[in-house]
Amino acid sequence: MGKIAFIGLGNMGAPMALNLVKAGRELAVYDLLPAGVAQLAAAGAQAAPSARQAVEGADIVITMLPASQHVEGLYIGEDLLAHIDPTALVIECSTIAPETARKVAAAAQARGIAMLDAPVSGGTAGAAAGTLTFIVGGDAGALARARPVLEQMGKNIFHAGPAGAGQVAKICNNMLLGVLMAGTAEALALGVANGLDPKVLSDIIAKSSGRNWATELYNPWPGVMDHAPASKGYAGGFGTDLMLKDLGLAAEAALATRSPIPLGELARNLYALHSAGGQGKLDFSSILNLYRKS
């Protein structure tokens, strides 16, 4: 397999691209911010001056961008598809609206280009460790082509269905994650306010019926887990505003299908309140600060 173009080198994209370089892949990289490009160039990737130049001659194009408008703007607004070889495979890893994923995939198909929506789960730690879960929408044949590359960045690969299905599954997962993190933070704050040690309570929950990913791997209470963002001033990780974006996508999907999501909407309101308090750039586990007594 030849050249890979990787566009979007933020907290998730940079470590994903770095794993491809470590695996011996030929990579051309681009990002609007120079820091990510410099990091990958130092590791052996080719720094491209633009997205269009990054995709020239690429067999695979991977993008990891913040939101729907950025994905649509790049592929359709800036017409990046016109600069991608029709034989290339596009793997879009951003978490975006399912309808946007379908729209961009249809535009790619009109040019004869195969495209997958492949949002990821696993956070920045999973991106760095190469243990991400890829939730893929699109043609099974295209997924077979993508699998060798995805396996160098992740551990689990699921085919959710046709174009847009990967985004639907990711939105459902992240809605549940937002609910679980808010609930975990609330429970820990209640316990500490009533005299419990947060680590002891976390250990109890992790071995009881309230166990979940947050208590076991991403604890929101500072000092309970050294590797968690909570113990690093809630720096890095998955930002509150990104969680708020994903909960908004869930609300849009629910509205389109008239599906009730009362807990999802409550979580969305909580994260909106938290973001409005000036903590939108902090990791989403900082929702604990809504409940914690100073």
Side-chain angles (χ1 to χ4, degrees), residues 234-254:
Y234 297 106
F238 184 62
T240 290
D241 283 345
L242 290 176
M243 173 55 77
L244 183 56
K245 178 206 77 171
D246 289 358
L247 290 168
L249 292 174
E252 291 173 10

Side-chain angles (χ1 to χ4, degrees), residues 70-271:
H70 304 105
V71 174
E72 184 173 342
L74 177 66
Y75 283 107
I76 298 177
E78 298 181 24
D79 201 16
L80 185 66
L81 291 171
H83 300 268
I84 298 174
D85 191 297
T87 64
L89 171 64
V90 178
I91 307 172
E92 214 303 294
C93 294
S94 318
T95 298
I96 59 176
E99 192 53 43
T100 300
R102 297 184 189 108
K103 180 178 181 178
V104 176
Q109 185 178 27
R111 293 182 178 271
I113 301 170
M115 186 173 196
L116 298 170
D117 52 286
V120 302
S121 180
T124 52
T131 57
L132 291 171
T133 294
F134 285 90
I135 308 165
V136 183
D139 180 72
L143 175 55
R145 288 175 60 191
R147 192 173 289 274
V149 173
L150 298 182
E151 287 175 344
Q152 291 175 331
M153 298 183 288
K155 185 177 180 180
N156 304 297
I157 301 169
F158 293 99
H159 188 201
Q167 300 296 344
V168 174
K170 175 64 188 297
I171 288 168
C172 292
N173 177 80
N174 277 24
M175 182 182 74
L176 179 58
L177 174 61
V179 170
L180 290 173
M181 183 59 78
T184 297
E186 186 174 305
L188 291 176
L190 176 62
V192 170
N194 281 274
L196 295 183
D197 182 295
K199 187 176 190 315
V200 172
L201 179 55
S202 295
D203 289 342
I204 291 170
I205 293 173
K207 299 299 181 182
S208 303
S209 56
R211 66 183 299 187
N212 64 75
W213 183 82
T215 54
E216 295 184 63
L217 299 174
Y218 210 90
N219 199 286
W221 199 279
V224 173
M225 293 180 176
D226 292 339
H227 68 274
S231 298
K232 303 173 184 178
Y234 297 106
F238 184 62
T240 290
D241 283 345
L242 290 176
M243 173 55 77
L244 183 56
K245 178 206 77 171
D246 289 358
L247 290 168
L249 292 174
E252 291 173 10
L255 183 62
T257 55
R258 297 187 180 182
S259 302
I261 53 164
L263 291 179
E265 286 285 16
L266 176 57
R268 182 187 183 192
N269 288 335
L270 289 171
Y271 280 98

